[in-house]
Amino acid sequence: MKKTILATTVAALAMSVAAIVPASAQDKIGACLITKTDTNPFFVKMKEGATAKAEELGIELKSFAGKVDGDHETQVAAIETCIADGAKGILLTASDTSSIVSAVKQARDAGLLVIALDTPLDPIDAADATFATDNYKAGVLIGEWAKGKLGDAAADAKIATLDLNVSQPTVDVLRNQGFLDGFGIDLADPNVIGDESDPRIVGSDVTDGNEEGGRRAMENLLATDPEINVVHTINEPAAAGAYEALKAIGREGDVLIVSVDGGCPGVQNVKDGVIGATSQQYPLLMASLGIEAIAAWAKDGSKPQPTEGKDFFDTGVALVTDEPVDGVDSISVEEGMDKCWG
């Protein structure tokens, strides 16, 4: 009898405690961040931004990453985990922007808000929203700068592009094609890398967005033409690898390297002369805005709206260099250091 009374008392106490605990504490909002890797400093900073905002808003954040850039399978498994965990939303930088669409659809069908960060899905409306740099504009800026820096010599340039991977994710295509457009090269299909006919293009190779890949790709292209003098790289780790390959043959001082990211190490490389100019983007801002959007979705079902005139929310871009070119907007390395990572 005493046991029965005790059990009843405990149950009543539990019900009374539950009644005074706010609903938000009982049903904490869950969110997921899925990046391409957890080693690239760009994605490390993105995770920091998402984590800080999640802590501020009382959101439970789980983070996942591919083993390497291009690890599509791990990202699919992460989406499935987020669905099973009952998360309210996913922030995603996709390695394979078209193949991931079916997994994203499953998440959206399950009621999750899916926001692409930095890398638009293919098609872009496969996600509920995209928070990103205008990657095409980022490419155009470094292309225009390189052309202006070379002056008349641009007509005889020998160009190598160090891209991301063979699946040609949207961010890869946008930066590559933007760079070529900015340099004054006629594009064939703007949705494809490597189909241009301009004789100034020596070739393209893939880097997996890391330093080792950048070095290997640069070595491969130098074997094709050792007189390459302009190098576009998908990001700054790839640029650092390209520089090491050039340094190994004593050509680090006479090849113009341009890139995209504007992370603190990359801006330092501009200062040190490793990179001539880089387009700076703001991953911390992307991630924090994404967490805010998931919180709003959980609260009232509202979705973020794109920037006027665009099909994504533009988080900004700025060209960083200490060697400005007429007609190309840029900021100094000092200002770039102040803003790096956003």
Side-chain angles (χ1 to χ4, degrees):
M1 181 68 176
K2 288 182 179 180
K3 289 184 179 180
T4 302
I5 293 172
L6 178 61
T8 303
T9 303
V10 170
L13 179 61
M15 289 176 66
S16 124
V17 170
I20 63 173
V21 174
S24 58
Q26 296 181 57
D27 303 308
K28 198 164 187 178
I29 298 169
C32 294
L33 173 68
I34 305 172
T35 56
K36 296 176 184 178
T37 72
D38 57 7
T39 54
N40 185 323
F42 181 87
F43 299 120
V44 172
K45 186 55 63 171
M46 186 176 279
K47 182 178 178 180
E48 288 178 13
T51 301
K53 183 58 69 171
E55 290 176 354
E56 176 189 331
L57 298 180
I59 290 174
E60 185 177 351
L61 179 68
K62 294 184 178 180
S63 298
F64 305 84
K67 298 179 181 67
V68 295
D69 204 319
D71 181 5
H72 168 70
E73 289 76 14
T74 296
Q75 291 195 319
V76 170
I79 290 174
E80 292 171 349
T81 298
C82 296
I83 296 170
D85 286 349
K88 290 294 185 181
I90 295 172
L91 306 180
L92 171 67
T93 59
S95 287
D96 190 320
T97 49
S98 56
S99 297
I100 201 75
V101 166
S102 60
V104 168
K105 184 178 185 302
Q106 290 177 18
R108 293 179 69 187
D109 288 347
L112 282 74
L113 182 77
V114 180
I115 296 177
L117 299 184
D118 177 54
T119 303
L121 300 188
D122 184 13
I124 193 168
D125 62 2
D128 289 292
T130 300
F131 292 160
T133 304
D134 186 332
N135 281 292
Y136 194 86
K137 180 179 179 181
V140 168
L141 284 170
I142 54 175
E144 289 177 340
W145 181 86
K147 181 181 180 182
K149 182 68 177 170
L150 288 177
D152 292 342
D156 300 311
K158 294 193 173 184
I159 301 167
T161 72
L162 274 56
D163 303 301
L164 191 52
N165 58 51
V166 293
S167 70
Q168 298 194 10
T170 52
V171 66
D172 199 9
V173 175
L174 289 166
R175 294 180 186 182
N176 174 287
Q177 296 291 280
F179 164 75
L180 295 177
D181 187 11
F183 199 86
I185 288 174
D186 291 334
L187 305 179
D189 183 344
N191 299 306
V192 176
I193 292 174
D195 62 350
E196 295 79 20
S197 59
D198 194 303
R200 291 177 290 179
I201 301 175
V202 172
S204 302
D205 204 344
V206 296
T207 66
D208 290 325
N210 60 51
E211 187 168 341
E212 180 183 352
R215 185 186 301 109
R216 181 183 63 249
M218 190 74 255
E219 290 170 348
N220 291 342
L221 291 166
L222 285 168
T224 301
D225 190 335
E227 296 183 359
I228 289 167
N229 64 353
V230 178
V231 179
H232 156 72
T233 64
I234 179 66
N235 62 12
E236 291 154 357
Y243 179 83
E244 290 303 317
L246 290 163
K247 186 177 180 180
I249 61 170
R251 293 210 53 220
E252 72 276 15
D254 59 2
V255 177
L256 203 58
I257 301 177
V258 292
S259 196
V260 177
D261 266 357
C264 301
V267 176
Q268 183 64 46
N269 277 346
V270 176
K271 182 177 181 179
D272 294 341
V274 173
I275 301 171
T278 192
S279 285
Q280 186 172 71
Q281 49 184 349
Y282 305 105
L284 192 151
L285 176 63
M286 295 177 199
S288 60
L289 288 173
I291 292 294
E292 288 178 354
I294 291 174
W297 168 255
K299 179 181 178 181
D300 58 23
S302 60
K303 293 184 180 182
Q305 298 301 307
T307 300
E308 186 175 356
K310 299 186 177 183
D311 53 4
F312 65 97
F313 187 95
D314 188 350
T315 52
V317 63
L319 182 74
V320 180
T321 184
D322 272 342
E323 301 178 48
V325 165
D326 288 344
V328 184
D329 290 337
S330 63
I331 62 175
S332 68
V333 166
E334 182 179 3
E335 190 174 356
M337 276 294 191
D338 288 340
K339 294 182 174 182
C340 63
W341 295 131

